[in-house]
Amino acid sequence: MTTETELLIKNGIVYDPINNVDGEVRDICIRDGKIVDSVSAEAKVIDATGKAVTPGKVECHSHMVGITPTSARIMRPEDIRTRVSASTDVRRAGGGRTVPNTWELGYEYAKLGFTRAYEAAVTPLYSKEAILEFNQYPILNKGIFTLFGNNWFVMDYLKSKEQDKLTAFVSFLLKTTGGYAVKLVNPGGNEAYKWNAEWNCHHADDPVPHFGVTPREIIKGLCIANEELGLPHSIHLHTNMLGVPGNYEVTLDELNITKGIAVGSDSGRVQNTHITHVQFNSFGGDEWRTFNSKADEIAKYINQNDHVTADSGNVIYGDATTMTADSPAEWALYKMTHNKLISNDTEAEDGVGIIPFLYSKKSPVHSVMWAIGLELLLLTDPWKMFVTTDHPNGGVFLDYPLIYSWLLSKKTRMEEAESSHGWALKRTGLGGIDKEYSFYELVIATVAGPARSLGVAKREGHFSNGAAANVAIWDINPLEDDLSRDPQVDKLATTAYTIKNGEIVVKDGTVVSAPMTPLDVAHAHVDYEIQRTVEEELKTKFKRYYTVQFENYIVDPDLYLAKSDRIDVVSGKVHFIPYATQTEEAVK
Amino acid sequence: MIEEKENIVCPFCGCLCDDGVVKVEDNKIVGTRNLCRIGHKKFESAQHGRAESPRIRKNGELVPVTLEEAFDKAAEILVNAERPLFYGWSATCAEATQVGCELTEACRGIIDCTATICHAPSIEAIQDQGAPLSTLGEVMNRADLILYWGCNPMHAHPRHMSRYSVYPRGFFRKRGRKSRTIMVFDPRRTDTAKLADLHVQISPASDHMLVHTFREILNSYDVTHETVAGIPADAIRETMEAMAQHQWCILFFGMGLTQQMGKDRNIDVAIQLMHELNKYIGIRTTLMPMRGHFNVAGANITICSETGYPFAVDFSRGYPRYLPGETSAMDVLYRGEVDAMLNIGANPGTSFSNRALSHMAKIPLINIEPHNQQLLQISDVVFSPAMVGIECEGTAYRMDNVPIKLRKVVEPPENRLPDVVILTEILKRVKELKGKGA
Amino acid sequence: MDNKLYNLVTKEEKCYGCGNCVVACPVNAYNDPAVAGGKGPEQLDKVIMCVENGVIKILNMGLCKGCGTCIEECPDGAIGLEVNYTT
Amino acid sequence: MNEIVLKPKDHTRISLEAEVITPDSFAGKSLDEIENMMLYQGNRSVRLKERFDVSGSPCDTAADLRIIIDGDAPRTKRVGEKMSCGEIVVRGNIDMHVGAEMTGGKITVEGNADNFVGREMVGGLIHIKGNALDYVGGTARGKMEGMRGGEIIVDGDAGDHVGNFMYGGVIKIRGNVGQSAGQHMRGKGTIIIGGNSWSRVGCEAADGTILVKGKVHLSTASLGYGCIGQVVKDPELGGDVIEGEFYELRADMGYEPKCGIAKVYASVGLNEHILPGGRTSVPRKGDMPVNRDMLPYLKIYHEEMIVKGGKK
């Protein structure tokens, strides 16, 4: 995990937004995997003169492990074939662009300067698989967002208005299935879809068949539960009606639901709701003919309200594999494209849809979607709007540098817009935006913002003393180079160095070391009595809802989570317990 | 003192029933409850007829050796091979398959699982067409129309109907069997067919035709021939009409469809039918392959997440390649392209063609198998491991890809290591030998 | 509780242990929710039969009301109902 | 035209992967350089000269280069993969993937070819004078675009799945084909079959044309042959006029109209059984495909598999 060696990064141009450091030439000292004040003279020196030094990037929403990406891998051998890497002494073999195997994902993310990534949707029933795959995922720290939005137990408790039991259930499910945060995907809508491919929850007050609760109740209930527990991350919300023209009204409506719920965690986050890949939910118009961008409305709301953070979910032209638990949206795509569709309904929990998709510059709709993602990023405070492509839905994470270049440079952005379909400028406000990101703002939107929103900012995402030594060094000099004229995409694509816990893992775009890193699991404590009551109730209901035994549903901590960092939350206070100390505890 | 161990997962078929009770006395399995006849036999006979601990063939005889010697020999065989094949993985745990993938990569060989001779056509069809899938719990809770096509769960997955599909009272199907309609498509009058509401006794090798005729009716064309697949046109129309009266339908299909003439094309067209049912008449339809071995689904999933491809992955050039027909186990053995083989968790002795077996007899063969099976006759290195799910823990995937942890029931006999340990030891030696060579 | 009117007879050599009869039986399902959900019985004193050692075993004959559901759901005739018309 | 002659030395059981044998990669190299090019065999690599005797006159422009494999090479895969010009002549049998993904030039195989002839081919001409196995002009798994252009001619028979996911180009098979010819055709491709065709012609095809001069076996209602449009005389296909009368049929009914209509032409004389009310379905013994090894097009190279000296 940590190395004993000391490391000195000399004369780098340091960007550390959490500590308000904007391009100062400084040294960074590392000892035992942590940032320290000073190191001894024997420390290994990396000369970073003229190079930008940032904390390791944080991926807040990506689909990498679990049944969904694996089903997509099974379905798309042609994707793996497009890009292959042979094994070396350091790394394992792999390949793929939209759905790479687990090893390839870890190496490629590290090459892009990432040191932490979160899998955005795992059905609890399948979480053992996700954890098994994450245990084979090198270099990056990771965590799982567990799906709650269509869970029958959640809807049962909401129907009987037992908020305390819901809170206990959330705590129970996260703990027993190795989750980190609460994810809601199309709350209620998937349950409707399971009865008929055409059914969905069309707005916040559209009740779920049989259960009778509405998406509004689900979002509110889970948000309250989340804040009562004080989990490190807020609820991670994928709103209803994704990908449908005119859905921005639903989005705004659903964002408003959680306004006023007080944040109950000391993890450093200020929001109680994170709305994800909001590009797909900022559509105006009534149908595809009148389709246009309402990014400005969404950006306005987010700028004005502190209870929300968001990630953009940009679209990048080219091949993508759309995969989401929002099966109705995938069904709509299937009817449009007749491409190969996998859907997978999970008992009592959620569903999944996967379909390969090609974003084309010639398509008017895709061009507008491309522009919406950029509009959102440019119009919103970077502390509240982070760069993602919802990999691999809007584009592949390997293409992140393209998005950075469009943000940094209006020139590059307009070149791309002009080669797109005319709607990219006609139906959006992108042409009127002059803003260009500074390198500092880019670091906010890729490192500091996500770290703070995900509740890891106390441990990493900055260069304060004691923070985890996750560093990316870029062969870019933002002080001298004019990034708005030439955003240097190739240099944004690979780091000069990526340092993970004080160990150099990537050097000049080559993986030189691939340590295995732990998974974050949130253990939120609730009152023992209510926890026991809920567990007893679950045992009874399990006999009717599930085909696995309650005892076999729970993820065995010894077999799967032996090397996991535990995030203990006791009455809103977050305690980080790395797995090394857990074993010491066990020995005692 | 008989101890009853509860919630034991049965490591036999793809049903992976996890409600078994196993009675243990002095580390001996003396009885079971809730498990079917096959599952009971698996537990009951697990501790009998075990192959001898590591043996190596010397002068034509399998002689007992130390574990060290056997590991060294296995590693030597694999390192010297130009195109080693790592086959099986269906009756072992996902953790072992993960090590197996690394071993294959280190040896630059081919890894393939038993799906290649059972449900690989289903996977190939999914690669062409996608598929609407669901978990078994969805069937239990929602299904009111259950189609069994080319499979006979009463014999192959005895508890499938009682535990997952037909008989349980689901959340929305409170009357169990009475809430559901069962149709069986099979040329034979099987025991499953006897329990069905409708048995469509099609003529052999004409499944594709019948499925396609259903599609025609769905697409508003009429059946122009008097009989299709041995079924009168009127009966086909009525069947389709009956199907359309339901709300939630699942198609379970077995090797009667996948290994029938046409193979993946049969599944391909069945998936198309399911998509069209979803699209045109609004009955929610899904389908599910009836996987055989308890972890054959897991082998696909694990190999896929490790390498990117679900089976038949060729690492000969250092990176993964996949093309069934070129890199699948049957094909390389048939063409004689393999010069060493490791078999684990499978019994190709009963399922491979004579030609493949005769080639296997010519090449060095490492066999990791707890019991005495046919393949031992031609094996060169034999390991008898601890049995996953009975003597050690591990993860297996049910036929709907749901992961379930297999439990340990009894202690393994002396000298019987888990598959994971055996493979890790071989891998360690392979890496050492490769390091020396370089 | 001894019910002489109905008697279940089993032929173990014919039984697959599939458990169709166990789950289909309305008495079992009513008395034990695990059976209603398709799982093996948890409360052995409340169910008529269960699968033991891979074959069917009658546990509490007295609970049987002679509805015959189990017989219908056995494809192999491994379970049968004897009705004693004389009592 | 300059010629380079490669004479195979011996057959190995493990196939060679010889994607370097193309005019494109031979052009501009001396004989010595060509001799030292790497081929892959299993997880090892060998030099070209270890497996082939190389002679001839090298040249700088690939278009003027003819590579002759002078003899049987039934264990050499991927010859002519991705070639764009020039010519390859194989005086014997050849293994899988001959001419895969090729964009131009010409390949002539005087013997038989294994699977995947002209897989995902874009242009050029492949002429197999013997038989070809499965997936002629097909696609690798998962990719939904097969052959896009060019022409494949097989003088003998071909195996199953001819023109799988075909998007364009022409495939002409003079002999019989196996099942599922033209399955999933998606573009304006043309398949002309001189002999008989086994079942499921054009199933799930969305576009394209398939013509069968012989009998369409097991042609059932399942192919929508009930939907007979008309009888066409001497249709023009793939640049040629094909003489005779043909039923014009719609291959698959399931697809959306916007995908276009895939057509199957079946000769009138031999295919009365596909008319409405015709007798179909139950396959008789004679209708079933012969044992795979008995089919002429499969007797390619398997004889040489008898390996010298067993190990035990």
Side-chain angles (χ1 to χ4, degrees):
Chain A
M1 191 185 80
T2 52
T3 49
E4 296 301 310
T5 48
E6 293 179 323
L7 201 59
L8 174 65
I9 302 166
K10 263 185 106 71
N11 289 330
I13 307 161
V14 175
Y15 290 84
D16 181 3
I18 287 183
N19 293 319
N20 294 317
V21 179
D22 180 4
E24 286 173 28
V25 178
R26 293 215 319 217
D27 295 349
I28 304 279
C29 304
I30 297 166
R31 187 188 305 124
D32 296 347
K34 296 265 189 289
I35 307 283
V36 289
D37 267 340
S38 59
V39 284
S40 63
E42 284 100 69
K44 184 181 160 128
V45 178
I46 294 174
D47 181 16
T49 313
K51 294 189 169 97
V53 178
T54 68
K57 286 195 269 185
V58 178
E59 170 66 277
C60 65
H61 188 107
S62 172
H63 298 272
M64 303 170 287
V65 297
I67 191 66
T68 323
T70 300
S71 303
R73 285 175 195 126
I74 288 177
M75 181 173 70
R76 297 207 66 187
E78 80 276 18
D79 179 71
I80 313 288
R81 202 159 67 104
T82 53
R83 197 182 143 276
V84 285
S85 338
S87 58
T88 68
D89 291 344
V90 184
R91 54 161 297 161
R92 297 277 302 273
R97 267 183 64 77
T98 67
V99 283
N101 60 336
T102 51
W103 298 99
E104 187 78 3
L105 278 163
Y107 305 131
E108 292 303 322
Y109 261 117
K111 281 188 199 171
L112 280 165
F114 282 88
T115 53
R116 177 175 284 275
Y118 286 90
E119 161 58 40
V122 169
T123 333
L125 190 59
Y126 286 107
S127 63
K128 291 190 196 82
E129 188 206 355
I131 295 165
L132 270 178
E133 289 181 19
F134 254 157
N135 288 344
Q136 301 286 88
Y137 183 103
I139 302 177
L140 278 77
N141 275 88
K142 48 242 172 179
I144 286 171
F145 298 163
T146 307
L147 286 166
F148 279 87
N150 294 281
N151 196 302
W152 286 8
F153 296 111
V154 170
M155 291 193 281
D156 274 355
Y157 286 132
L158 285 170
K159 199 176 179 185
S160 56
K161 304 220 182 318
E162 292 170 295
Q163 181 68 41
D164 49 345
K165 284 187 181 170
L166 174 61
T167 309
F169 173 69
V170 170
S171 151
F172 166 82
L173 200 62
L174 283 180
K175 193 167 22 179
T176 52
T177 58
Y180 179 76
V182 177
K183 175 80 189 284
L184 289 81
V185 174
N186 190 20
N190 294 354
E191 173 58 29
Y193 170 84
K194 285 181 189 176
W195 279 119
N196 187 320
E198 306 295 335
W199 292 3
N200 200 352
C201 283
H202 295 91
H203 50 85
D205 297 309
D206 198 357
V208 183
H210 175 80
F211 290 94
V213 296
T214 60
R216 185 182 303 279
E217 288 167 320
I218 298 174
I219 294 168
K220 191 167 183 188
L222 283 169
C223 187
I224 293 172
N226 196 69
E227 299 310 333
E228 278 179 1
L229 293 171
L231 288 169
H233 187 38
S234 62
I235 56 165
H236 201 91
L237 174 65
H238 161 140
T239 50
N240 296 90
M241 297 307 282
L242 174 131
V244 179
N247 60 12
Y248 81 102
E249 285 172 346
V250 178
T251 311
L252 289 174
D253 187 24
E254 295 193 351
L255 281 179
N256 224 357
I257 294 171
T258 55
K259 197 175 182 176
I261 297 174
V263 175
S265 171
D266 75 334
S267 69
R269 65 178 162 94
V270 288
Q271 90 282 12
N272 62 22
T273 307
H274 178 91
I275 176 168
T276 189
H277 44 73
V278 60
Q279 178 270 126
F280 293 103
N281 292 72
S282 310
F283 296 172
D286 305 319
E287 47 161 348
W288 293 115
R289 275 169 224 272
T290 55
F291 180 61
N292 59 28
S293 158
K294 288 288 179 191
D296 47 345
E297 303 266 344
I298 303 284
K300 199 169 88 190
Y301 184 92
I302 296 173
N303 281 333
Q304 284 171 356
N305 291 280
D306 280 339
H307 74 98
V308 187
T309 58
D311 62 81
S312 59
N314 279 64
V315 156
I316 300 168
Y317 300 124
D319 195 16
T321 305
T322 61
M323 56 173 82
T324 167
D326 191 343
S327 0
E330 298 288 354
W331 177 250
L333 271 185
Y334 170 73
K335 285 195 294 180
M336 258 188 264
T337 61
H338 282 94
N339 215 332
K340 45 188 178 183
L341 166 82
I342 284 187
S343 67
N344 191 359
D345 299 346
T346 311
E347 60 208 66
E349 286 176 355
D350 227 306
V352 133
I354 308 159
I355 193 163
F357 198 75
L358 186 75
Y359 290 104
S360 158
K361 273 188 182 183
K362 288 177 194 159
S363 158
V365 170
H366 303 170
S367 305
V368 175
M369 287 166 78
W370 172 83
I372 293 175
L374 292 176
E375 267 191 286
L376 285 166
L377 281 164
L378 292 163
L379 293 174
T380 319
D381 178 4
W383 282 105
K384 290 183 177 174
M385 180 72 75
F386 321 131
V387 181
T388 66
T389 60
D390 188 13
H391 165 83
N393 283 300
V396 183
F397 71 94
L398 297 163
D399 292 336
Y400 275 160
L402 290 175
I403 303 178
Y404 303 157
S405 74
W406 297 327
L407 295 175
L408 288 165
S409 152
K410 185 173 184 191
K411 183 173 137 260
T412 327
R413 177 163 84 223
M414 292 311 285
E415 280 168 11
E416 185 79 359
E418 273 150 23
S419 67
S420 308
H421 189 273
W423 278 24
L425 294 173
K426 269 185 226 150
R427 298 286 181 103
T428 72
L430 186 68
I433 302 174
D434 290 328
K435 182 178 166 63
E436 287 174 340
Y437 267 43
S438 65
F439 196 75
Y440 181 67
E441 282 171 316
L442 188 64
V443 177
I444 296 174
T446 55
V447 183
R452 183 176 279 181
S453 164
L454 287 160
V456 296
K458 287 200 164 171
R459 316 198 294 280
E460 62 179 78
H462 51 88
F463 293 135
S464 314
N465 275 353
N470 299 335
V471 188
I473 305 176
W474 307 88
D475 202 0
I476 294 171
N477 187 342
L479 297 180
E480 291 179 5
D481 305 345
D482 184 0
L483 292 175
S484 70
R485 285 180 57 193
D486 175 16
Q488 309 191 21
V489 180
D490 52 332
K491 288 178 180 171
L492 286 168
T494 45
T495 58
Y497 290 91
T498 307
I499 294 160
K500 174 70 194 167
N501 288 338
E503 188 181 347
I504 300 174
V505 288
V506 175
K507 191 181 173 189
D508 298 326
T510 315
V511 178
V512 293
S513 162
M516 297 309 288
T517 41
L519 172 83
D520 288 354
V521 180
H523 282 224
H525 293 250
V526 293
D527 182 47
Y528 178 73
E529 279 303 313
I530 187 108
Q531 184 80 46
R532 235 188 45 171
T533 321
V534 166
E535 274 182 37
E536 288 307 315
E537 277 184 26
L538 292 185
K539 276 184 193 168
T540 324
K541 286 184 180 173
F542 243 78
K543 290 176 187 139
R544 287 179 68 204
Y545 290 0
Y546 279 90
T547 49
V548 290
Q549 299 285 86
F550 182 76
E551 287 78 5
N552 290 324
Y553 177 78
I554 291 166
V555 173
D556 181 354
D558 296 332
L559 189 62
Y560 301 98
L561 299 169
K563 288 194 174 174
S564 299
D565 291 344
R566 216 165 74 203
I567 318 287
D568 272 18
V569 189
V570 187
S571 52
K573 298 265 181 296
V574 176
H575 306 277
F576 174 68
I577 304 172
Y579 76 89
T581 40
Q582 288 170 31
T583 34
E584 279 164 28
E585 270 175 24
V587 171
K588 274 175 203 162
Chain B
M1 161 78 190
I2 293 180
E3 192 192 349
E4 286 201 354
K5 300 204 171 186
E6 290 186 339
N7 298 315
I8 300 300
V9 186
C10 165
F12 186 80
C13 73
C15 281
L16 221 61
C17 302
D18 67 339
D19 58 346
V21 177
V22 178
K23 298 172 192 163
V24 180
E25 188 178 20
D26 288 344
N27 205 37
K28 289 266 180 303
I29 295 170
V30 293
T32 64
R33 196 167 62 239
N34 297 346
L35 298 177
C36 66
R37 200 155 196 156
I38 309 176
H40 169 71
K41 211 68 193 162
K42 170 103 186 187
F43 279 99
E44 191 200 30
S45 54
Q47 293 171 311
H48 307 290
R50 297 292 284 270
E52 279 180 61
S53 61
R55 283 182 292 169
I56 291 181
R57 190 174 294 277
K58 288 177 179 166
N59 302 323
E61 290 288 317
L62 281 174
V63 226
V65 290
T66 60
L67 275 168
E68 290 296 313
E69 195 182 339
F71 288 142
D72 286 340
K73 177 74 183 169
E76 187 198 319
I77 289 173
L78 294 175
V79 168
N80 290 332
E82 273 186 52
R83 205 162 165 77
L85 171 66
F86 300 79
Y87 176 80
W89 311 109
S90 298
T92 183
C93 56
E95 289 82 355
T97 315
Q98 288 179 340
V99 183
C101 290
E102 193 173 353
L103 182 61
T104 315
E105 226 178 274
C107 301
R108 299 203 162 191
I110 298 172
I111 187 165
D112 201 355
C113 66
T114 57
T116 195
I117 49 164
C118 63
H119 271 287
S122 317
I123 293 174
E124 291 170 21
I126 287 175
Q127 288 166 355
D128 284 349
Q129 196 76 273
L133 305 167
S134 72
T135 62
L136 287 165
E138 282 288 291
V139 182
M140 176 181 90
N141 287 330
R142 293 184 210 269
D144 58 352
L145 172 62
I146 293 164
L147 315 175
Y148 283 109
W149 200 309
C151 58
N152 183 9
M154 279 311 292
H155 288 182
H157 304 84
R159 291 192 72 198
H160 189 274
M161 294 174 88
S162 75
R163 203 173 131 73
Y164 299 118
S165 58
V166 178
Y167 294 101
R169 283 105 179 126
F171 189 72
F172 296 108
R173 300 288 170 219
K174 296 217 161 46
R175 297 171 71 220
R177 172 68 179 89
K178 294 188 179 68
S179 305
R180 310 182 206 263
T181 310
I182 318 298
M183 293 186 189
V184 173
F185 297 79
D186 205 308
R188 296 170 301 158
R189 180 123 184 104
T190 59
D191 278 344
T192 311
K194 287 180 197 163
L195 294 174
D197 295 310
L198 178 68
H199 175 208
V200 181
Q201 202 159 6
I202 56 175
S203 50
S206 52
D207 311 74
H208 185 282
M209 236 186 272
L210 185 58
V211 180
H212 206 110
T213 311
F214 283 141
R215 285 188 56 212
E216 268 187 72
I217 298 170
L218 261 185
N219 285 292
S220 330
Y221 293 92
D222 198 13
V223 190
T224 48
H225 292 72
E226 280 162 25
T227 60
V228 176
I231 314 290
D234 277 346
I236 297 174
R237 289 188 200 106
E238 274 167 32
T239 310
M240 191 70 228
E241 232 160 74
M243 279 160 77
Q245 303 302 316
H246 291 82
Q247 207 174 4
W248 208 100
C249 157
I250 178 130
L251 167 69
F252 290 107
F253 60 92
M255 305 229 310
L257 208 55
T258 64
Q259 297 297 331
Q260 183 58 264
M261 190 187 79
K263 302 212 170 180
D264 54 312
R265 301 303 166 193
N266 299 335
I267 321 296
D268 198 315
V269 76
I271 294 173
Q272 189 66 30
L273 172 68
M274 294 290 118
H275 278 327
E276 283 171 3
L277 280 168
N278 268 326
K279 195 161 65 180
Y280 293 142
I281 47 178
I283 89 169
R284 188 80 177 84
T285 48
T286 59
L287 79 173
M288 192 186 301
M290 299 281 277
R291 309 301 294 263
H293 286 70
F294 70 90
N295 196 21
V296 60
N300 287 141
I301 288 199
T302 314
I303 296 176
C304 196
S305 64
E306 289 279 304
T307 69
Y309 297 122
F311 63 98
V313 190
D314 179 4
F315 278 102
S316 59
R317 309 258 285 249
Y319 52 83
R321 286 189 297 175
Y322 161 84
L323 193 54
E326 188 185 3
T327 63
S328 38
M330 243 345 230
D331 296 86
V332 281
L333 283 168
Y334 192 82
R335 286 166 55 102
E337 280 201 56
V338 177
D339 60 352
M341 179 167 165
L342 182 146
N343 174 57
I344 177 171
N347 190 358
T350 53
S351 45
F352 272 18
S353 71
N354 282 345
R355 186 153 174 172
L357 284 173
S358 72
H359 184 71
M360 279 162 68
K362 287 170 198 149
I363 57 173
L365 176 63
I366 303 159
N367 202 1
I368 304 178
E369 161 66 39
H371 289 105
N372 283 315
Q373 41 141 263
Q374 294 94 320
L375 212 59
L376 290 193
Q377 308 295 333
I378 54 171
S379 304
D380 296 77
V381 183
V382 178
F383 292 98
S384 173
M387 291 175 77
V388 180
I390 297 175
E391 291 160 356
C392 60
E393 292 182 340
T395 312
Y397 292 72
R398 206 164 65 183
M399 59 168 72
D400 52 357
N401 299 342
V402 169
I404 295 177
K405 187 193 125 183
L406 303 169
R407 287 168 188 264
K408 181 174 176 174
V409 185
V410 290
E411 289 296 325
E414 208 187 332
N415 234 354
R416 304 297 206 273
L417 302 171
D419 293 328
V420 183
V421 179
I422 292 174
L423 291 166
T424 313
E425 290 291 327
I426 297 176
L427 174 65
K428 208 169 81 191
R429 284 163 177 78
V430 164
K431 280 185 173 168
E432 276 167 20
L433 288 173
K434 289 257 173 185
K436 266 183 217 162
Chain C
M1 282 295 287
D2 193 20
N3 188 340
K4 294 208 177 80
L5 186 57
Y6 303 109
N7 198 23
L8 285 174
V9 284
T10 58
K11 292 175 186 153
E12 291 185 359
E13 71 282 2
K14 282 189 169 185
C15 181
Y16 302 135
C18 65
N20 285 358
C21 50
V22 181
V23 181
C25 172
V27 177
N28 285 357
Y30 181 78
N31 286 349
D32 189 338
V35 176
K39 291 133 194 117
E42 286 172 358
Q43 299 156 345
L44 292 182
D45 52 333
K46 287 189 180 172
V47 294
I48 299 173
M49 74 282 261
C50 80
V51 176
E52 186 149 332
N53 293 338
V55 287
I56 188 68
K57 186 184 176 192
I58 307 294
L59 297 172
N60 302 299
M61 194 52 241
L63 296 174
C64 179
K65 301 280 189 287
C67 71
T69 309
C70 50
I71 305 159
E72 282 175 25
E73 308 308 346
C74 184
D76 208 36
I79 191 163
L81 187 72
E82 277 180 2
V83 184
N84 189 351
Y85 293 104
T86 53
T87 46
Chain D
M1 201 145 195
N2 296 37
E3 281 184 0
I4 289 178
V5 182
L6 308 174
K7 201 165 174 58
K9 284 182 177 171
D10 56 352
H11 301 163
T12 51
R13 283 221 322 277
I14 297 175
S15 287
L16 292 168
E17 294 188 19
E19 68 269 30
V20 292
I21 304 186
T22 60
D24 303 71
S25 62
F26 278 14
K29 291 198 172 69
S30 67
L31 275 187
D32 190 47
E33 281 172 323
I34 290 170
E35 280 185 330
N36 284 311
M37 288 175 108
M38 298 305 266
L39 307 179
Y40 292 90
Q41 182 174 18
N43 52 18
R44 316 283 154 92
S45 51
V46 292
R47 294 188 187 283
L48 194 95
K49 64 181 172 190
E50 290 173 52
R51 295 282 179 258
F52 294 94
D53 286 323
V54 186
S55 60
S57 52
C59 94
D60 283 344
T61 43
D64 295 335
L65 196 58
R66 179 186 293 143
I67 300 171
I68 295 171
I69 297 182
D70 191 10
D72 227 11
R75 291 279 161 152
T76 307
K77 284 178 185 169
R78 296 177 186 272
V79 168
E81 190 174 65
K82 293 185 181 159
M83 75 183 254
S84 66
C85 55
E87 195 181 339
I88 296 177
V89 179
V90 183
R91 302 227 166 101
N93 301 329
I94 195 80
D95 206 347
M96 296 186 195
H97 300 292
V98 61
E101 296 173 55
M102 79 188 257
T103 54
K106 187 182 173 194
I107 297 179
T108 312
V109 178
E110 288 172 6
N112 305 314
D114 208 313
N115 295 337
F116 301 108
V117 171
R119 166 177 62 82
E120 293 160 52
M121 173 178 179
V122 182
L125 171 68
I126 301 178
H127 188 172
I128 311 285
K129 293 192 174 164
N131 307 313
L133 270 177
D134 304 342
Y135 289 97
V136 173
T139 174
R141 274 287 157 201
K143 191 165 182 193
M144 296 176 85
E145 293 169 11
M147 177 173 174
R148 302 195 72 101
E151 188 173 354
I152 300 177
I153 300 168
V154 179
D155 289 350
D157 299 338
D160 300 341
H161 309 295
V162 171
N164 186 28
F165 281 104
M166 189 172 172
Y167 257 71
V170 182
I171 299 177
K172 291 177 185 162
I173 314 280
R174 302 246 156 87
N176 304 326
V177 298
Q179 57 179 329
S180 295
Q183 175 129 1
H184 280 296
M185 274 172 91
R186 291 288 171 100
K188 298 287 175 202
T190 306
I191 301 176
I192 297 168
I193 296 158
N196 302 330
S197 150
W198 189 240
S199 65
R200 301 166 196 184
V201 178
C203 184
E204 292 172 80
D207 210 339
T209 318
I210 306 162
L211 183 137
V212 185
K213 288 185 190 166
K215 187 178 174 186
V216 182
H217 283 287
L218 250 167
S219 62
T220 65
S222 73
L223 286 182
Y225 285 145
C227 175
I228 294 220
Q230 51 188 325
V231 173
V232 179
K233 215 171 169 219
D234 302 338
E236 192 184 332
L237 279 180
D240 300 325
V241 174
I242 288 133
E243 286 179 17
E245 281 188 316
F246 295 90
Y247 296 125
E248 189 185 81
L249 316 162
R250 185 171 173 177
D252 190 282
M253 303 187 153
Y255 273 88
E256 305 288 296
K258 68 175 179 185
C259 297
I261 295 173
K263 284 180 194 157
V264 173
Y265 292 96
S267 71
V268 167
L270 294 161
N271 288 303
E272 278 177 5
H273 59 287
I274 61 180
L275 292 173
R279 287 189 58 80
T280 56
S281 50
V282 188
R284 289 182 304 276
K285 205 179 171 196
D287 276 347
M288 295 294 283
V290 208
N291 181 345
R292 276 179 70 94
D293 281 333
M294 303 296 288
L295 285 176
Y297 59 83
L298 283 158
K299 278 177 123 183
I300 291 192
Y301 53 80
H302 290 310
E303 289 86 19
E304 50 91 23
M305 262 206 36
I306 292 111
V307 183
K308 311 134 213 164
K311 78 176 162 163
K312 287 153 204 162

